[in-house]
Amino acid sequence: MPNDNITLTAADRSVSLPLVHGSLGPSCIDIAALYRDTGHFTYDPGYAATASCKSAITYIDGDKGVLLYRGYPIEQLAEQSRFLEVAYLLLEGELPTVAQMTKFEDAVTHHTMMHESLKNFLHGFHYDAHPMAMLCASIASLSAFYHDTLDINDPAQRKLAAIRLIAKMPTIAAAAYRYSIGWPIRYPRNNLEYVTRFLHMMFEVPSEPLNLNPVAARALDLLFILHADHEQNASTSTVRLVGSTGANPYASVAAGIAALWGPAHGGANEAVLKMLAQIGDPKHVDQAVARAKDKESGFRLMGFGHRVYKNFDPRARIIRAMCHQVLAELGVNDPLLEVALKLEEAALKDEYFIERKLYPNVDFYSGIIYKALRIPTEMFTVMFAIARTAGWIAHWIEQHETPDARIGRPRQVYTGALKRDYVALDKR
Ligand code: CMC
């Protein structure tokens, strides 16, 4: 790698700062010495131009619409791989051999049970609690169940936590859903593979066998692959920030779930479906586009725009094609698809969206597929969380394998009152 420097001049002082080069993507200016040498901080709200870490997991080229997991293009993984193999790839850095995959799948399968006491924990929620609230709290509570294996400095314990999280997330997610509708919790069936097992835990009733269409399992597996990682997005950065304090993996991932929940991030898939239902008819689309352009309205087109993708979101392209196929194969005729297509068409030719490079993102079509799979709207972000767990924990492990890692501690531009003297209460 070249080891060149860049010179910045701040007021009367110049400072020579090293450039940091990755294997792909723009180089970064290492500003660690900037404050020491010039007395200035950098200001980058939303971290739009700041690399917070070095990572070898996922690469995005937002201008070209490229997404690579460990170097492999998302299109190839979507076409040829499956979610659990992608989870292994994210964690281990390489595609598994048959023996490695069998071992990994076996380990995940044998950690799918949740502690019986967790059921009581779930029962403490009101029946109409949002499943993201239940998931977030339940995952945080795992640190209480596994407090004997929380040594974050032990690679074996870190790996065990990764397996547990990937394995238990679907079990807890399905249990939260069933609790909310008053159905008995189904235990994971170890003779099924990951995604099919999850669908059984969601939909199987004790009174009759579940006839699951394999198209549904394949579609969900594909959605999980597309959502598995996305470099330093808000929830992953949250996991890393919490992890940087030395917090345990369950607490770190619970924080990631909380960050994912927001409508600007993973909560967008739920918001998209609600928005499409509100629009209701293709003939109301122009009105919705006009509202989205009006800053006073406070309304944005959910599922549109992305911090990094300024051309197209490659995941959205795959999901769009898949959406038509899945609906056709499942025999679902959803009028919301027509609304979505019209909305996409109208926005893509509108000057406001063209100028700002706003394209449909991964969440624009995923909700329509989830709906076709009978997954209720409030579970959409939970689906995202199940998939993103693979990425979160891969980043958490990478962070702990990075030598000289430091606690995350940004600075600020202080805009408050100047120093002043306290005035006693009776004198104010
Ligand atoms: N509808 C209407 N206008 C928009 C939208 C939208 N969806 N997104 C951005 N804009 C406008 C925004 O008002 C701003 O306009 P102006 O330059 O006139 O002030 C401009 O485009 C740039 O927007 P920004 O908010 O500065 O961009 P950002 O990079 O900070 O935010 C975003 C990215 C994804 C949060 C945003 O595009 C958004 O809120 N989209 C809707 C929510 C959504 O779909 N989120 C899912 C993201 S993908 C999956 C995930 O990460 O979980």
Side-chain angles (χ1 to χ4, degrees):
M1 292 284 160
N3 188 15
D4 36 356
N5 278 37
I6 201 160
T7 303
L8 292 187
T9 306
D12 56 343
R13 273 190 269 178
S14 284
V15 58
S16 175
L17 298 171
L19 283 179
V20 181
H21 300 279
S23 47
L24 285 170
S27 48
C28 297
I29 305 167
D30 177 349
I31 55 161
L34 189 72
Y35 176 60
R36 187 196 65 202
D37 293 350
T38 69
H40 292 287
F41 291 144
T42 52
Y43 177 60
D44 181 21
Y47 314 117
T50 298
S52 60
C53 61
K54 290 181 185 166
S55 178
I57 300 175
T58 290
Y59 174 73
I60 302 173
D61 183 331
D63 294 323
K64 296 202 182 107
V66 171
L67 171 60
L68 311 176
Y69 291 165
R70 298 286 191 182
Y72 294 99
I74 192 66
E75 292 80 3
Q76 289 181 25
L77 293 170
E79 171 101 28
Q80 298 171 55
S81 186
R82 62 195 178 96
F83 173 68
L84 220 46
E85 185 184 45
V86 166
Y88 180 99
L89 173 69
L90 291 170
L91 280 169
E92 303 291 342
E94 296 296 335
L95 287 169
T97 60
V98 172
Q100 286 166 333
M101 190 61 222
T102 307
K103 195 168 163 220
F104 180 67
E105 194 150 12
D106 191 64
V108 170
T109 302
H110 288 96
H111 281 92
T112 48
M113 293 282 284
M114 65 181 200
H115 198 287
E116 279 295 289
S117 304
L118 207 68
K119 269 198 204 165
N120 303 335
F121 190 78
L122 283 176
H123 286 175
F125 284 97
H126 201 247
Y127 73 93
D128 61 356
H130 196 287
M132 280 298 276
M134 292 196 254
L135 187 71
C136 187
S138 305
I139 294 301
S141 82
L142 291 182
S143 33
F145 289 102
Y146 301 114
H147 53 80
D148 54 339
T149 44
L150 293 183
D151 181 358
I152 58 166
N153 298 314
D154 176 357
Q157 293 190 33
R158 292 199 296 257
K159 189 64 71 63
L160 179 60
I163 299 280
R164 278 191 180 133
L165 278 160
I166 291 169
K168 292 183 200 305
M169 195 69 78
T171 312
I172 295 172
Y177 165 61
R178 294 181 73 107
Y179 174 67
S180 72
I181 55 166
W183 283 9
I185 286 169
R186 297 308 279 168
Y187 290 108
R189 287 174 33 178
N190 285 359
N191 60 330
L192 301 175
E193 69 71 52
Y194 192 80
V195 170
T196 313
R197 181 166 55 229
F198 169 66
L199 287 169
H200 271 258
M201 286 190 285
M202 283 284 289
F203 298 122
E204 195 177 37
V205 288
S207 38
E208 57 183 271
L210 177 71
N211 285 323
L212 195 66
N213 188 332
V215 171
R218 176 62 195 139
L220 191 56
D221 193 89
L222 184 52
L223 286 172
F224 281 1
I225 292 175
L226 299 179
H227 284 94
D229 193 41
H230 215 226
E231 51 117 304
Q232 310 309 321
N233 58 87
S235 56
T236 303
S237 297
T238 302
V239 170
R240 278 185 178 263
L241 191 59
V242 175
S244 79
T245 69
N248 71 67
Y250 307 106
S252 305
V253 168
I257 295 172
L260 186 75
W261 196 358
H265 192 8
N269 55 15
E270 184 175 337
V272 168
L273 214 79
K274 287 182 175 157
M275 174 190 75
L276 294 176
Q278 256 163 21
I279 296 173
D281 192 293
K283 65 176 186 276
H284 299 143
V285 156
D286 290 341
Q287 215 180 321
V289 171
R291 254 185 90 214
K293 295 193 291 182
D294 173 10
K295 300 276 195 254
E296 300 295 304
S297 73
F299 169 73
R300 283 186 169 198
L301 281 194
M302 300 314 288
F304 256 81
H306 198 274
R307 169 58 64 78
V308 183
Y309 294 120
K310 299 298 175 196
N311 183 333
F312 66 90
D313 181 338
R315 303 166 301 172
R317 197 172 263 185
I318 298 169
I319 292 184
R320 189 183 194 276
M322 174 189 168
C323 193
H324 291 281
Q325 197 189 338
V326 170
L327 264 59
E329 286 182 25
L330 293 177
V332 173
N333 182 11
D334 189 343
L336 292 189
L337 179 59
E338 219 188 308
V339 178
L341 288 170
K342 181 80 202 302
L343 187 59
E344 182 187 17
E345 188 194 326
L348 287 183
K349 60 181 191 221
D350 190 290
E351 214 31 58
Y352 173 97
F353 291 87
I354 295 169
E355 242 174 51
R356 291 168 179 76
K357 301 186 173 171
L358 302 170
Y359 292 85
N361 59 48
V362 68
D363 287 325
F364 191 68
Y365 284 103
S366 63
I368 295 177
I369 302 178
Y370 287 138
K371 185 165 172 254
L373 304 183
R374 294 196 295 123
I375 290 173
T377 315
E378 23 352 306
M379 284 293 285
F380 289 2
T381 314
V382 171
M383 300 294 112
F384 196 155
I386 295 173
R388 187 54 60 86
T389 298
W392 287 331
I393 201 67
H395 282 271
W396 182 85
I397 287 181
E398 183 181 66
Q399 155 179 63
H400 287 285
E401 287 172 351
T402 305
D404 308 325
R406 301 173 77 190
I407 186 171
R409 192 357 181 140
R411 302 306 299 255
Q412 63 171 6
V413 177
Y414 175 68
T415 58
L418 302 183
K419 181 170 178 277
R420 48 189 169 161
D421 290 325
Y422 177 80
V423 178
L425 186 58
D426 60 348
K427 300 265 166 27
R428 277 174 242 155

